[in-house]
Amino acid sequence: MDSKILIIEDEEKIARFIELELIHEGYSVKKVYNGRDGLLLATEEDFDLVLLDIMLPELNGLEVLRRLRKEKDVPVIMLTARDAVMDKVSGLDAGADDYITKPFAIEELLARIRVALKKRTKSENILTVKGLKMDCARHEVTYDGEEIELTNREYELIHTLLINKNIVMSRDKLMDIVCGYDYTGETNIIDVYVRYIRTKIDDRFGVKIIHTVRGVGYVIKDA
Ligand code: CA
């Protein structure tokens, strides 16, 4: 199966290098050198994955991502400059699936592409608990049929707890999965997301979805 990948990167040498490596790995590849063309192509054609540089002429990567997310939930890996922490955070909040810092080893990029593609095929199912329904293919969450708006990380947190139903997950583990292994921000970030989720779901529908396990972490229980 040859997955279709779109490269949106204005540094032509880098774009060309990635393209050659991806073709070598058996992917089919298209590349464009500015944000506007990238957004157009990503919207018009079906890709299995988009590699999106942040600093782009005409339309920057974050804006491309924001507009693309209104149309499609294709996996997106952002290419960020070294130490641009804000870019990573904004990218993930805007709906990127992952990011990689330039300069990167091509093996690392290939590994992340494989993970993003696998996550995609694996997630074509529906997870439920009580009235909560998570449609992974559509990236949609509802409670008793009513749509719930979640940020990417809130979604990822519920998703992780749902696929590990009845298993207590530690804050550290959740942080690795939801924020990435190299996350170095606030250590109580998971508690913050849980609080947001409780406002959006528990308070609104009068249920208890995520249980706190004192001193350990969180769990979603079947009953
Ligand atoms: Ca660039």
Side-chain angles (χ1 to χ4, degrees):
M1 167 191 91
D2 61 332
S3 298
K4 257 178 87 178
I5 299 180
L6 174 63
I7 304 168
I8 310 175
E9 162 69 83
D10 61 313
E11 283 161 84
E12 298 189 16
K13 265 179 156 168
I14 296 182
R16 178 74 185 143
F17 170 65
I18 299 174
E19 179 189 43
L20 288 173
E21 291 290 336
L22 292 181
I23 290 171
H24 181 73
E25 292 293 314
Y27 296 111
S28 92
V29 183
K30 283 198 179 175
K31 64 178 188 307
V32 288
Y33 303 126
N34 71 66
R36 197 165 298 279
D37 290 348
L39 178 64
L40 199 68
L41 200 57
T43 321
E44 279 177 354
E45 282 185 37
D46 281 330
F47 290 93
D48 298 294
L49 184 103
V50 177
L51 295 176
L52 177 60
D53 185 30
I54 289 199
M55 296 291 284
L56 285 171
E58 299 198 32
L59 202 61
N60 75 56
L62 287 175
E63 195 51 37
V64 170
L65 180 63
R66 263 183 220 110
R67 298 195 196 176
L68 179 63
R69 273 289 167 262
K70 290 183 184 158
E71 311 281 331
K72 288 190 173 177
D73 68 342
V74 54
V76 174
I77 298 178
M78 307 290 293
L79 310 175
T80 74
R82 183 189 286 278
D83 294 334
V85 178
M86 271 322 291
D87 285 350
K88 293 172 193 169
V89 172
S90 322
L92 291 171
D93 283 345
D97 297 76
D98 201 356
Y99 58 81
I100 189 162
T101 308
K102 290 195 274 189
F104 48 80
I106 192 69
E107 291 74 21
E108 195 191 349
L109 179 65
L110 293 173
R112 283 172 189 242
I113 289 173
R114 282 193 294 272
V115 168
L117 290 171
K118 199 149 78 189
K119 204 159 121 190
R120 175 102 177 143
T121 31
K122 206 169 57 187
S123 71
E124 275 168 14
N125 52 13
I126 288 172
L127 303 166
T128 58
V129 66
K130 296 176 184 157
L132 188 78
K133 189 168 133 188
M134 175 172 268
D135 185 329
C136 303
R138 292 161 162 262
H139 213 269
E140 243 175 42
V141 178
T142 56
Y143 199 96
D144 286 345
E146 281 191 56
E147 201 175 324
I148 300 161
E149 298 270 354
L150 297 172
T151 65
N152 214 44
R153 283 183 175 180
E154 289 163 4
Y155 179 96
E156 201 58 46
L157 179 56
I158 298 183
H159 182 254
T160 305
L161 289 170
L162 268 177
I163 54 177
N164 294 286
K165 204 150 66 170
N166 300 315
I167 300 167
V168 180
M169 304 286 287
S170 72
R171 285 181 177 78
D172 283 350
K173 189 150 194 189
L174 289 169
M175 201 156 73
D176 285 347
I177 296 169
V178 173
C179 306
Y181 287 95
D182 48 359
Y183 175 77
T184 52
E186 297 293 323
T187 52
N188 69 338
I189 189 82
I190 292 300
D191 303 316
V192 173
Y193 289 134
V194 167
R195 222 156 45 227
Y196 289 154
I197 291 169
R198 283 178 175 158
T199 310
K200 289 179 178 182
I201 303 176
D202 297 31
D203 295 354
R204 181 169 158 203
F205 299 97
V207 287
K208 195 162 178 58
I209 293 292
I210 299 177
H211 296 264
T212 307
V213 180
R214 209 174 266 272
V216 187
Y218 295 101
V219 65
I220 288 182
K221 292 181 196 167
D222 234 339

